[in-house]
Amino acid sequence: MYVACLLALLPCLLAPAQGAKNYGSALQKSILFFDAQRSGKLPANNPVHWRGDSGLHDCVVGGWYDAGDHVKFGLPMSSSTTLLLWGINRFKDGYTRANQLNQAYDSVKWPLDYFLRAWNPNTHTLTVQVGDGNADHAWWGRPEDMTMARPCQTVTTAHKGSDIAAGTAAALAAGSIVFKDKGDAAYSNQLLHAAETLYAFAKANRGVFTGAAAFYSSSGDRDELCEASIWLYKATRNAAFLNDAKSFAETATAWALGWDDKKVACQQLLWEETKDAHYRNLVAAFLQSWQPGGGIAYTPCGLAWRDKWGANRYAGNSAFVALVAAESGIDAAKYRAWATEQINYLLGDNHHAGGCFSFEIGYGSKYPTQPHHRGASCPNRPAACSWDQYNSHSANPQVLQGALVGGPDQNDAYTDLRSDYVHNEVTTDYNAGFQSALAGILHLQAHNALPATHNKCPCNQ
């Protein structure tokens, strides 16, 4: 009788929480987006059939194209990489549950290899940008067909850029931890040595990079120096790095987590390492500011809407912070539910196009078909690709699997139009926190701890 009762209950115990999405599928597709952004000589196992080798004559080969364009910007690339590595480090079992752990390692190794090539510790030179933003944006076509000059910008002792240098050091240090855990000691040590030398260079040569001010202009370097030093402490347990992190940590509540503001990331990591309530309170204040009534706008269907530029990005990043904070004991039930609701909105709990619209391309049956992305807008080679494709009102010939578009306006309104780069742009930093949040939700599923959610506009399909 007892066994019979248990068997009767088993389907309910194993069933996903009401409103749950296929988070594993969403994560798998997000990794494919990063694959579509790869520059350089692509491997034989390249899963994106419409992408080929490109940028083979760049001063530093490899890395990711930033967005729908073909410039390689060091600040958002390093920020995106660090967020992804943090997600792998914290929610490895989420990737395992989705059967995507090896794909995740392969994905983040691409920019890490690029950073190793970009940093020359002997000459104290870090390449921080490949390509001219203005020339690149004046051209529409495949990365494989680029013919314009692709100049490089560097940071040296004479041309400061401690913000990008420290941000890159953070990615390398986080990478050393992830690949040590993977069992690749040689690669881990290589990353750690590069991180230590680059961090020392950044700390000794303070000054914000100004060479690409029209595109990614940092507001300061303290957040990157804090992030780099705390990841180096986690990698080495050298107390000097922890002291540095404390000295660079800021007490202000972050506006958001993004490529220009890592304050809350460092505050969270310091809380985990020190258990000092001061840092816990800073993280809690950030998360509370993202709740209804905390100062941030909400769309009618419940998206925490920070800004018209990459609204989905900021919601995904904050969802990831909330999930990490929950793991460290900060209002776990509340923030797990809130984070999951934000991701559920992005994956379909909204009323756009009659409901069940996914802002992640390729997920579900309704999603953007005209992302602002040059390569995806081009037909298969050898057909020509030009501004005619930009101006076309047809769906992109290539489905940019996994890309998270910028998102709706404050009223949930969204237009699937290629020329609307405010709402339909895709970038690596839009996907990074979103993907790590997906891993966090999968981690909860792996532990049968997926929270009940109450999205305002649930998808009933």
Side-chain angles (χ1 to χ4, degrees), residues 10 38-39 54 56 83 141 174 222 240 251 294 305 312 341 405:
L10 192 58
R38 290 189 295 191
S39 179
S54 62
L56 298 181
L83 267 178
R222 283 187 61 179
T251 58
W305 194 91
N312 289 346
E341 288 168 355
V405 298

Side-chain angles (χ1 to χ4, degrees), residues 60-103:
V60 181
V61 175
W64 287 326
Y65 296 124
D66 180 56
D69 57 7
H70 306 129
V71 185
K72 298 186 295 198
F73 292 107
L75 198 56
M77 195 192 306
S78 60
S79 174
S80 300
T81 306
T82 304
L83 267 178
L84 289 169
L85 288 161
W86 191 4
I88 297 170
N89 174 254
R90 195 66 189 83
F91 299 124
K92 179 181 176 181
D93 58 345
Y95 282 94
T96 300
R97 180 178 176 86
N99 196 29
Q100 292 294 306
L101 184 58
N102 287 333
Q103 290 86 339

Side-chain angles (χ1 to χ4, degrees), residues 312-448:
N312 289 346
R313 170 255 315 268
Y314 291 125
N317 288 359
S318 292
F320 173 59
V321 173
L323 291 167
V324 173
E327 292 295 309
S328 68
I330 301 177
D331 293 324
K334 174 181 178 179
Y335 289 123
R336 283 171 178 162
W338 178 83
T340 306
E341 288 168 355
Q342 291 302 301
I343 298 302
N344 285 353
Y345 175 100
L346 300 180
L347 294 179
D349 282 357
N350 56 71
H351 279 168
H352 182 71
C356 300
F357 182 86
S358 168
F359 288 97
E360 183 191 28
I361 298 169
Y363 180 90
S365 60
K366 300 178 187 177
Y367 49 79
T369 63
Q370 291 191 41
H372 183 87
H373 189 275
R374 286 158 173 77
S377 77
C378 295
N380 290 331
R381 301 176 80 180
C385 187
S386 68
W387 287 101
D388 290 341
Q389 277 64 48
Y390 171 83
N391 292 314
S392 169
H393 289 283
S394 299
N396 285 359
Q398 319 298 346
V399 179
L400 189 62
Q401 294 281 353
L404 184 73
V405 298
D409 68 14
Q410 195 172 336
N411 297 309
D412 284 319
Y414 165 79
T415 302
D416 184 10
L417 186 64
R418 192 175 300 107
S419 58
D420 184 358
Y421 50 82
V422 175
H423 300 109
N424 231 23
E425 187 174 21
V426 296
T427 80
T428 55
D429 82 292
Y430 285 11
N431 266 74
F434 166 71
Q435 181 176 308
S436 290
L438 289 168
I441 296 172
L442 286 158
H443 159 79
L444 295 178
Q445 285 188 318
H447 292 270
N448 296 316

